Amino acid sequence: MGEVTIIEKVYNNNVIQVKDESGQELIVMGRDLGFQKKVGDMIDQTKIEKVLPYKVSRLLLTSMNSYQIRNLISSSI
């Protein structure tokens, strides 16, 4: 991932959608990564634990129910 990463959407304190300097959309996970952040803010690269391409994560999330998503997020952080 590039050095400049801009927040496009905050899902919760640990999961956000970003666009990197090349314009690629990504879902990024990390403890407190989205805490008190808003659209347009830059993220702390040191807090990133997992990165998923947006298209792959979108397919994954639409095929899971909310309980499975919570378990996936909590187990990865």
Side-chain angles (χ1 to χ4, degrees):
M1 180 183 329
E3 291 184 23
V4 177
T5 309
I6 306 296
I7 296 174
E8 289 201 323
K9 183 173 185 177
V10 178
Y11 291 99
N12 61 39
N13 286 343
N14 304 315
V15 182
I16 58 175
Q17 177 182 330
V18 299
K19 186 177 277 190
D20 68 9
E21 60 190 9
S22 67
Q24 182 179 9
E25 292 182 325
L26 306 164
I27 298 294
V28 183
M29 297 181 212
R31 185 172 181 158
D32 292 334
L33 192 59
F35 181 68
Q36 294 186 340
K37 298 291 183 181
K38 58 183 184 251
V39 173
D41 287 350
M42 293 174 44
I43 61 168
D44 182 354
Q45 300 281 333
T46 61
K47 291 184 176 183
I48 296 173
E49 295 176 13
K50 283 191 177 184
V51 178
L52 298 169
Y54 178 73
K55 290 180 182 178
V56 171
S57 59
R58 185 82 172 159
L59 289 171
L60 178 66
L61 294 176
T62 56
S63 66
M64 302 173 85
N65 63 36
S66 60
Y67 177 75
Q68 291 169 316
I69 293 168
R70 269 196 311 271
N71 286 339
L72 173 68
I73 292 169
S74 64
S75 69
S76 66
I77 297 187

